[in-house]
Amino acid sequence: MAALDRVKVLVLGDSGVGKSSLVHLLCHNQVLGNPSWTVGCSVDVRIHDYKEGTPEEKTYYIELWDVGGSVGSATSVKSTRAVFYNLLNGIILVHDLTNKKSSQNLYRWSLEALNRDVAPTGVLVTNGDYDREQFGDNQIPLLVIGTKLDQIPETKRNEVLTRTAFLAEDFNAEEINLDCTNPRYLAAGSSNAVKLSRFFDKVIEKRYFLRDGNQVCHFS
C-alpha cells in the first residue's frame, strides 16, 4: 500500500483551553482521560477521507500539531515556538468559552503563526475593534473551536455564543463549539462533523490542488 499524503494543521490557543483533549478526540474519537500540560509540541494523526462519497475520494493523513499554550511575550518563547510554524497547511484556533481572555488571544496566536518573523507582543483587540486587513492576504484555512460548552449554564449559553460568534467572522472561518468530554458533539453526520470535514477538505485542496487560485495536477 502506498504511503498516504499528509497535511500539517496547527492547533493553537492558550494553556488550559483543552487543545490536547480536542486533538485526542479528533484523532481517536475517545475522551482523553488524564490530560496534562503540553510542553513544546505534541503531534497526533487523524485519517481523513477527502471528498468522501464522491469519485474524487482519497485518504490523507492529517497531522495535528498541538503547540504548548504559554502566552509569555518573551522573545525566547516565541522563537522556540516558531520552529513548529514552518510549512503549515491549516490552523485550528481553540478557545475556552468560559474564558473571554482566551478568545481575545486567538488574534495573537494566529498572527504569531502566520507572521512568525514579526509576531506581536500583545493582544490585537482594542475596545472590541479589529483590523480585518491583518488577515486580508491570508491563504491558510482557519477553523475556530470553542471548548467547555458543558460548563456554561443553559441560561447563559446564548449570551456567551453571541459574544464569541464574531471570531469566526473576523477570521473568515467556520465555528464549532463543543465539550471535549463528549464525543457526540462530533458524531458522524452532525453539523460539527460536516464543518470539520469541510475544513480538512479545504486544507488538502490548498496543499495539493490549488496554486494561486488555479487547480494544479496532483499525482498519487
Side-chain angles (χ1 to χ4, degrees):
M1 179 179 176
L4 299 180
D5 288 323
R6 60 188 62 212
V7 292
K8 174 181 177 180
V9 175
L10 296 180
V11 181
L12 303 178
D14 290 359
S15 294
V17 297
K19 298 188 302 296
S20 296
S21 296
L22 173 66
V23 169
H24 191 82
L25 182 62
L26 293 178
C27 294
H28 306 284
N29 196 33
Q30 295 177 341
V31 175
L32 181 61
N34 188 26
S36 58
W37 299 107
T38 299
V39 178
C41 182
S42 176
V43 181
D44 209 338
V45 176
R46 173 188 173 99
I47 296 177
H48 175 72
D49 292 323
Y50 170 74
K51 290 197 172 182
E52 185 176 8
T54 74
E56 300 172 79
E57 179 176 335
K58 182 179 178 182
T59 303
Y60 289 82
Y61 282 137
I62 308 290
E63 292 183 350
L64 293 169
W65 290 54
D66 173 12
V67 179
S70 170
V71 293
S73 61
T75 301
S76 59
V77 174
K78 291 181 179 177
S79 57
T80 299
R81 279 199 299 257
V83 67
F84 305 129
Y85 299 157
N86 292 324
L87 303 176
L88 64 95
N89 304 120
I91 300 176
I92 296 177
L93 297 167
V94 186
H95 65 111
D96 175 351
L97 291 165
T98 70
N99 182 343
K100 185 175 180 180
K101 186 75 169 180
S102 74
S103 304
Q104 294 176 331
N105 277 344
L106 292 187
Y107 298 99
R108 174 181 183 169
W109 281 109
S110 53
L111 287 171
E112 182 179 302
L114 295 171
N115 304 281
R116 58 183 180 274
D117 296 328
V118 290
T121 57
V123 178
L124 299 184
V125 178
T126 305
N127 297 325
D129 294 329
Y130 167 69
D131 182 4
R132 293 170 184 270
E133 292 184 3
Q134 293 174 101
F135 289 92
D137 297 326
N138 174 47
Q139 298 298 313
I140 302 297
L142 303 175
L143 177 67
V144 177
I145 296 185
T147 62
K148 306 185 184 179
L149 181 62
D150 58 308
Q151 297 183 23
I152 303 173
E154 288 286 349
T155 55
K156 290 186 173 290
R157 196 163 285 187
N158 284 340
E159 175 186 338
V160 171
L161 297 184
T162 297
R163 172 174 60 78
T164 61
F166 70 89
L167 290 168
E169 183 177 351
D170 283 349
F171 289 119
N172 189 28
E174 289 197 284
E175 175 188 38
I176 293 175
N177 296 309
L178 48 68
D179 164 17
C180 293
T181 66
N182 192 335
R184 74 178 178 83
Y185 282 95
L186 292 174
S190 66
S191 61
N192 285 344
V194 171
K195 289 178 183 178
L196 187 67
S197 180
R198 196 155 50 210
F199 167 71
F200 287 141
D201 278 1
K202 186 183 297 185
V203 171
I204 290 166
E205 286 172 353
K206 288 285 188 179
R207 168 65 178 87
Y208 289 104
F209 297 99
L210 299 176
R211 183 177 298 155
D212 299 326
N214 299 313
Q215 185 164 346
V216 297
C217 293
H218 171 62
F219 299 95
S220 303

